[in-house]
Structures are given as structure tokens and as C-alpha cells.
């Protein structure tokens, strides 16, 4: 009798452990800032819906990138009701995820979606973002279902707004 | 007359296009004169025994450039004696990126004991001629008679992050092919890098 009780208790325990582990795993697989390889990123560069996406490639150590991030944040906020979404693709080294990227996001209170791209064989994927991209950052892909535009440069806010406005006009016509 | 004008304008257009886009594979390289970290002015022609040059636009501040420093040193140590020395050029304007000043270049070269020349593109006149856009950005140049010809443009290998995990050594493959007199399997590659810093 005792052994049966013991066995049931053990099973119960194992059950709880397995359940809690799998729950933890679920949380881990959906972190606030996901780390993906290019295969994982590619669908985000090719979404087909009503939204206009502003996909910016950047890193915390890249001075011109950091300078234009507030402009991208402005777009993400001011244009949110116009179906515009900013996605910040971070290219910091993965060992700086905890020490640089997460503190940067917290300090700047970033509202835009951030994804870390960890795929060191850039020669295999740069052309798939845009064939005209030589590989320098900052670089920005702006796209919707009607139009794709690519910029290998840092923006000023006015210029970025103007381009997003043009893209919205194209999308709605 | 009309024809001449047309040809002339075509030539001008072609020249401007070539100039603004930089060198392509097969283009002839124009020599330049830039200040090395030892204070001396250096030209490609100064390397009397060279069969070619591994021109690398690189700098102090860029994490990608830093990640490749040891590999560039190893590359020079292996290939300079075979006729292909590294010619490193810092293309950044220190007014836009203070870490890439001439003084800081000397500091970094001493720290890392660079065995190659490390030239400063003062006034940023040379990098646009090559068409470099980022650091690091490699142009492998080969001597053909009196000409210096671009044979390979791109990255050093396929893993900036981890030298141990490199699978494709694009640049050394290209140099080995030149030495062996073989056709290059890959002539152009791309990599993520830091944009060349220009003061606005």
C-alpha cells in the first residue's frame, strides 16, 4: 500500500517538474527580444498585409545608427494609427545581448520591436535583404504590399517622414 | 560634330559612373600616396617586390574591424613573403569618428604590433576611388605587367564573430589562386561592416 502511495507521489512529482520545465521553455522561446538567424528573420521582411514596415539594421556601437533611433521611434509612435510598424534588427555581437543590447533598450525606453540577428555568414543573406546593399549599417528597408525601398544611409526625421508618407500613399492607391 | 559630342558625353557619363561606383573586378587601380603610421608617405609602387596587394579599408573603432585584426595580421605574415602584403587604410574622418584619428591609429598599431602599413586616408580622397563603403572592405589587387588590376572585392571570410568557425576563407582562397595562376572561384562577397564615417 505504502509503495503504491510512494509511486503515485513520485509520478505526481515528476509530473509537476515536467510541467514547470515545459512552461519555462515556453517563456524562454518567446523572449522580449528574440535572437534569430536569417532564416528566422526572412518572413518578417516579406509580410503581405496592409501594414507598412520600416525595418532598420543597427547596432548599439554604431554612432549614426544610435542617432537615428529616436526618429524611428517617433515614426513607430506617430504613425501607429496609420498601420506603420518599425522593426529594429540589431547586429550587436550575441555576447553583448545582456550587457549592451538589453540595457540600451531599457535606457532609451524603446517601444519599437527589437530582434537580434545572429547570422555571421552575412555574404549568404545581404543580397536577400537587398541586392544593392553593400553591407554597411545603418541600413533601412521600408516595404508594404505595393512597394519596397532600401536605403544604405542614416536618416534625418523629416526625410524619413516624407518617405513613409510616400509609401503610405502608394499602399492606399 | 554631333557624333563627337555624343561620344564625348557618353565618355563623361561612363567616367562619372565608374568614378562614383568605384572599382569593379578587372579595373585598373590608380596608385595613391598616403601617410603611414611611421610618418612616411607610402605608394603601392614602393613595394618593389610585390606581386600584388591586399588593400583593406579598416579602422580602430569598428567592432567588425577589431574582430578581424588578428586575422589580418596572420594574413600579412603568411602572404607578404609570397608577394602579397597587406595595405591597410583607415578611410574615416576623425572629425566624425574621433577614435579613428591619426594619433589613435599609431596607438592601436603599436598595441597590436601591426606588421603591415596602416595608412591614413587624410581628406578622404582614396576610398571613394575604390568605392569602399564599409570597414573592413577588402580589394585584392594583382600586378599584370605595368598594370594593377582588381581581382577580388569583399570580405575576408564567412564568420566575423568566430575565427574558429570559419568555413569559407574567401580572401586567402583568392590569393592562393593568384599565386597558383588559377582562375578565382569567387570574386565578390559581401559582409556587414561599419559605414565609412564622413563629417556632414
Amino acid at each position: 500500500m505504502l509503495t503504491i502511495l510512494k509511486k503515485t507521489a513520485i509520478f505526481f512529482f515528476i509530473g509537476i517538474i515536467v510541467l514547470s520545465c515545459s512552461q519555462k521553455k515556453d517563456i524562454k522561446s518567446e523572449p522580449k527580444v528574440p535572437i534569430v538567424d536569417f532564416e528566422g528573420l526572412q518572413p518578417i521582411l516579406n509580410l503581405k498585409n496592409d501594414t507598412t514596415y520600416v525595418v532598420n539594421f543597427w547596432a548599439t556601437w554604431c554612432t549614426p545608427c544610435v542617432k537615428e533611433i529616436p526618429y524611428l521611434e517617433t515614426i513607430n509612435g506617430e504613425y501607429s494609427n496609420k498601420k506603420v510598424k518599425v522593426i529594429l534588427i540589431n547586429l550587436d555581437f550575441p555576447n553583448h545581448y545582456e550587457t549592451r543590447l538589453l540595457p540600451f533598450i531599457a535606457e532609451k525606453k524603446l517601444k519599437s520591436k527589437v530582434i537580434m540577428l545572429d547570422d555571421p555568414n552575412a555574404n549568404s543573406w545581404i543580397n536577400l535583404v537587398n541586392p544593392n546593399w553593400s553591407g554597411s549599417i545603418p541600413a533601412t528597408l521600408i516595404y508594404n504590399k505595393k512597394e519596397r525601398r532600401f536605403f544604405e544611409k542614416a536618416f534625418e526625421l523629416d526625410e524619413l517622414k516624407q518617405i513613409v508618407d510616400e509609401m503610405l500613399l502608394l499602399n492606399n492607391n | 560634330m554631333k557624333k563627337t559630342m555624343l561620344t564625348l558625353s557618353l565618355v563623361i557619363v561612363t567616367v562619372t559612373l565608374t568614378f562614383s561606383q568605384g572599382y569593379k573586378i578587372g579595373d585598373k587601380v590608380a596608385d595613391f600616396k598616403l601617410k603611414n603610421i611611421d610618418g612616411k608617405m607610402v605608394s603601392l609602387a614602393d613595394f618593389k617586390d610585390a606581386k600584388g596587394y591586399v588593400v583593406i579599408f579598416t579602422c580602430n573603432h569598428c567592432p567588425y574591424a577589431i574582430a578581424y585584426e588578428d586575422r589580418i595580421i596572420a594574413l600579412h605574415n603568411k602572404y607578404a613573403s609570397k608577394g602579397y602584403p597587406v595595405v591597410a587604410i583607415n578611410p574615416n574622418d576623425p572629425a566624425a569618428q574621433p577614435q579613428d584619428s591619426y594619433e589613435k591609429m599609431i596607438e592601436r598599431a603599436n598595441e597590436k604590433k601591426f606588421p603591415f602599413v596602416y595608412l591614413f586616408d587624410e581628406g578622404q580622397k582614396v576610398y571613394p576611388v575604390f568605392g569602399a563603403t564599409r570597414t573592413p572592405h577588402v580589394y585584392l589587387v594583382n600586378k599584370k605587367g605595368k598594370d594593377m588590376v582588381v581581382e577580388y572585392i569583399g570580405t575576408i571570410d564567412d564568420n566575423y564573430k568566430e575565427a574558429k568557425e570559419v568555413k569559407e576563407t574567401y580572401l586567402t582562397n583568392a590569393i592562393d589562386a593568384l599565386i597558383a595562376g588559377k582562375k578565382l572561384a569567387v570574386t565578390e562577397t559581401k559582409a556587414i561592416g561599419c559605414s565609412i564615417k564622413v563629417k556632414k
Side-chain angles (χ1 to χ4, degrees):
Chain A
M1 185 63 195
L2 202 72
T3 42
I4 292 174
L5 248 174
K6 256 189 188 170
K7 271 185 185 165
T8 324
I10 289 168
F11 269 119
F12 196 68
F13 257 116
I14 291 172
I16 286 175
I17 291 166
V18 167
L19 228 115
S20 59
C21 276
S22 63
Q23 265 176 350
K24 259 187 195 159
K25 245 186 189 166
D26 280 349
I27 294 164
K28 259 191 181 168
S29 66
E30 280 276 350
K32 206 175 144 228
V33 180
I35 305 175
V36 299
D37 60 8
F38 189 73
E39 209 185 317
L41 180 70
Q42 213 168 5
I44 297 162
L45 308 179
N46 297 287
L47 296 166
K48 289 187 174 59
N49 53 45
D50 288 336
T51 302
T52 295
Y53 292 92
V54 180
V55 186
N56 173 259
F57 292 83
W58 70 289
T60 60
W61 44 258
C62 161
T63 317
C65 304
V66 169
K67 188 174 167 271
E68 74 174 350
I69 285 209
Y71 312 149
L72 292 153
E73 282 282 286
T74 302
I75 298 289
N76 195 55
E78 283 183 15
Y79 286 74
S80 58
N81 57 352
K82 293 178 182 169
K83 289 191 176 170
V84 175
K85 211 174 162 194
V86 173
I87 303 171
L88 303 174
I89 310 297
N90 175 267
L91 287 162
D92 276 54
F93 288 17
N95 57 346
H96 293 153
Y97 181 84
E98 300 277 351
T99 52
R100 293 195 192 163
L101 177 58
L102 296 186
F104 182 91
I105 293 169
E107 187 202 328
K108 305 274 178 188
K109 300 186 177 71
L110 297 189
K111 299 276 194 303
S112 306
K113 174 84 181 161
V114 181
I115 297 172
M116 179 181 253
L117 173 60
D118 177 18
D119 200 332
N121 184 8
N123 186 52
S124 69
W125 54 260
I126 286 175
N127 282 341
L128 299 175
V129 177
N130 189 285
N132 293 325
W133 187 12
S134 86
S136 77
I137 55 172
T140 306
L141 169 72
I142 304 178
Y143 81 93
N144 53 39
K145 62 182 187 300
K146 295 268 181 72
E147 174 92 350
R148 289 178 88 84
R149 288 188 191 172
F150 184 79
F151 305 87
E152 188 169 353
K153 59 178 270 185
F155 283 114
E156 296 298 331
L157 180 58
D158 293 349
E159 194 187 6
L160 188 58
K161 276 186 172 173
Q162 194 186 330
I163 293 164
V164 172
D165 286 337
E166 283 172 25
M167 292 291 288
L168 285 173
L169 269 177
L170 287 165
N171 205 27
N172 296 329
N173 280 333
Chain B
M1 184 61 191
K2 250 188 182 173
K3 241 187 184 173
T4 331
M5 286 298 284
L6 194 71
T7 323
L8 195 70
S9 54
L10 265 177
V11 167
I12 290 168
V13 168
T14 321
V15 167
T16 353
L17 278 178
T18 319
F19 186 75
S20 61
Q21 292 179 354
Y23 291 139
K24 300 269 175 292
I25 302 299
D27 281 356
K28 287 177 196 168
V29 171
D31 204 352
F32 48 79
K33 212 179 190 79
L34 294 175
K35 190 156 77 169
N36 189 20
I37 39 165
D38 63 3
K40 289 178 185 150
M41 298 303 284
V42 172
S43 295
L44 293 180
D46 297 337
F47 298 80
K48 301 282 182 228
D49 300 327
K51 292 175 182 146
Y53 312 88
V54 185
V55 178
I56 306 180
F57 291 91
T58 187
C59 66
N60 295 342
H61 91 276
C62 174
Y64 292 98
I66 295 166
Y68 271 113
E69 277 175 337
D70 289 341
R71 278 175 267 184
I72 296 173
I73 292 170
L75 197 89
H76 178 82
N77 288 339
K78 183 174 177 192
Y79 287 101
S81 58
K82 295 180 179 177
Y84 293 88
V86 165
V87 177
I89 303 174
N90 166 25
N92 289 334
D93 183 349
Q97 192 76 50
Q99 283 162 279
D100 291 331
S101 70
Y102 181 66
E103 291 72 27
K104 298 268 184 195
M105 283 173 65
I106 298 170
E107 246 173 60
R108 189 59 185 163
N110 287 337
E111 272 168 26
K112 295 295 291 183
K113 299 191 172 58
F114 284 169
F116 43 80
V117 295
Y118 188 20
L119 312 178
F120 181 40
D121 188 4
E122 199 165 10
Q124 302 188 299
K125 302 235 163 54
V126 172
Y127 91 78
V129 178
F130 273 79
T133 58
R134 60 174 190 270
T135 53
H137 201 159
V138 180
Y139 290 77
L140 176 60
V141 176
N142 200 30
K143 274 191 190 168
K144 276 184 184 167
K146 279 185 182 170
D147 293 331
M148 302 184 284
V149 178
V150 177
E151 299 280 359
Y152 169 85
I153 302 174
T155 179
I156 294 166
D157 57 43
D158 68 350
N159 197 319
Y160 64 82
K161 204 170 65 176
E162 204 53 72
K164 283 180 206 145
E165 285 170 28
V166 167
K167 289 184 189 76
E168 291 280 343
T169 52
Y170 303 116
L171 178 57
T172 54
N173 291 355
I175 306 172
D176 286 338
L178 288 184
I179 292 170
K182 286 182 187 157
K183 200 169 181 286
L184 273 60
V186 178
T187 56
E188 279 184 271
T189 57
K190 287 184 177 181
I192 293 293
C194 304
S195 59
I196 290 175
K197 302 297 182 286
V198 182
K199 194 168 190 293
K200 277 182 185 167

